[in-house]
Amino acid sequence: MIISIIGVGLLGGSFALSLRKKYPLVKFVGVDTSVVNQKIALAKGIVDEMVSLEEALKISELNVLATPVDAIKNLLPAMLDQLPEGRTIMDLGSTKELVCELVDQHPKRSQFVAVHPMAGTENSGPGAAFAELLTNKNVIICDRNKCDRDCLMLVETFLRDVGMKIHYMSPKEHDLHLAYVSHLSHISSFALGLTVLDKERDEKAIFDMASTGFSSTVRLAKSSPQMWAPIFAQNQKNVSKALGDYIALLKKFKTAIDQGETEISLDYMTKANDIGRILAGIEKK
């Protein structure tokens, strides 16, 4: 069997490395426009060789589309045009509604499985890939009822083989929920990083006082802008709503602090502490 990884970055690379442990005889080929990424992917053993996209579609039973979401939007329809019968494309993109709508009427729509692994780090590229990234993480499959049974079964099998827990939802539900639990946290981290960087221009010692709490909160600000800008653009409506809700609550916090209303800010924080219960429940699943 041959599997192609189109975009040999963190997610695609980690998926390949994990599958290699389970299926040592499977051949992996890579497609990437970056010469640097090609060399790293070969050196790390993520793929056995690099090929063109056209060649990958000809020879691969499964094509894993792991590029940024703007590239997925541009590549997927043409890839389906060229895809032989009996072959499968799965994507690993962080937005789903636009991409699924784009190919909804395509004659080979059933050969596409829309997938989003809920895993990642603040690092990017094949150098950051590691086999354990996806283990025990959640993964979302959208519009499974529109997938060919064999294509869906193939993707589900591989996702379970790398240790992922599969959930199903519509593309619309996916993008709404992810705006709050993923996209908003990245914007918050980017904004916090910019706020501190602006202050650091005047007070050079500020980073000497940064604690581990600051580091963990701002960690996501190191994420790839090239990956996240298209995500915010494709999920604009939901991200804007989540950001509006967040800004409104920040204003309430500021008002309570400005007016010295300690009991109000204490109440906000006490209610927020309940997130610990929710996170603990998620970890047990």
Side-chain angles (χ1 to χ4, degrees):
M1 183 177 195
I2 299 176
I3 296 175
S4 68
I5 307 295
I6 302 158
V8 284
L10 172 66
L11 274 180
S14 296
F15 184 67
L17 289 172
S18 186
L19 272 184
R20 277 192 178 281
K21 289 187 172 183
K22 187 81 175 180
Y23 300 99
L25 297 182
V26 169
K27 180 179 180 180
F28 288 84
V29 299
V31 178
D32 204 291
T33 57
S34 167
V35 175
V36 173
N37 284 355
Q38 293 176 19
K39 291 179 178 178
I40 295 173
L42 289 167
K44 285 192 68 169
I46 292 172
V47 296
D48 299 298
E49 65 175 302
M50 302 298 302
V51 299
S52 67
L53 179 58
E54 291 72 21
E55 180 66 14
L57 290 169
K58 287 178 183 177
I59 64 175
S60 303
E61 283 87 343
L62 175 64
N63 299 273
V64 182
L65 186 48
T67 63
V69 293
D70 53 342
I72 291 175
K73 180 186 72 171
N74 294 329
L75 289 171
L76 181 58
M79 288 175 61
L80 283 173
D81 289 342
Q82 302 172 55
L83 191 68
E85 292 296 328
R87 307 293 178 82
T88 304
I89 297 173
M90 63 180 280
D91 82 315
L92 302 181
S94 297
T95 58
K96 285 289 173 277
E97 190 169 9
L98 178 63
V99 169
C100 288
E101 285 180 356
L102 191 64
V103 298
D104 217 22
Q105 302 305 315
H106 196 285
K108 296 181 181 178
R109 168 62 184 87
S110 64
Q111 292 174 251
F112 167 61
V113 184
V115 176
H116 180 199
M118 300 299 295
T121 72
E122 70 275 21
N123 302 310
S124 59
F130 60 100
E132 297 76 25
L133 175 66
L134 305 176
T135 305
N136 293 323
K137 301 297 195 308
N138 292 319
V139 60
I140 298 166
I141 295 178
C142 293
D143 280 348
R144 64 171 165 168
N145 59 305
K146 297 180 180 180
C147 301
D148 173 85
R149 185 184 64 177
D150 291 338
C151 293
L152 180 62
M153 188 179 302
L154 177 70
V155 170
E156 289 175 331
T157 297
F158 283 150
L159 292 174
R160 291 190 178 101
D161 283 343
V162 301
M164 302 206 79
K165 296 173 280 188
I166 301 174
H167 302 267
Y168 305 95
M169 59 179 63
S170 72
K172 188 172 184 177
E173 287 176 313
H174 170 277
D175 284 8
L176 174 62
H177 297 328
L178 268 293
Y180 282 87
V181 300
S182 175
H183 305 168
L184 180 59
S185 60
H186 279 81
I187 292 177
S188 301
S189 191
F190 284 127
L192 177 58
L194 285 172
T195 301
V196 175
L197 285 171
D198 285 342
K199 186 65 176 176
E200 187 267 345
R201 291 192 184 103
D202 302 320
E203 298 183 20
K204 299 296 183 182
I206 192 168
F207 286 121
D208 293 337
M209 296 177 282
S211 65
T212 54
F214 172 78
S215 297
S216 62
T217 304
V218 82
R219 173 181 62 85
L220 295 177
K222 296 185 289 181
S223 300
S224 168
Q226 289 73 29
M227 182 180 78
W228 280 97
I231 291 173
F232 299 151
Q234 286 194 19
N235 201 20
Q236 179 185 29
K237 180 181 177 180
N238 292 318
V239 169
S240 179
K241 175 66 167 62
L243 197 52
D245 292 345
Y246 185 51
I247 290 170
L249 192 51
L250 285 175
K251 287 180 177 178
K252 288 182 179 180
F253 255 110
K254 185 178 185 303
T255 298
I257 291 169
D258 288 347
Q259 297 179 0
E261 295 172 330
T262 304
E263 289 301 317
I264 292 178
S265 60
L266 180 65
D267 180 59
Y268 290 155
M269 290 183 281
T270 301
K271 289 178 179 176
N273 280 168
D274 197 42
I275 200 72
R277 174 185 58 81
I278 295 170
L279 292 175
I282 291 172
E283 291 172 359
K284 290 178 181 177
K285 288 182 180 179

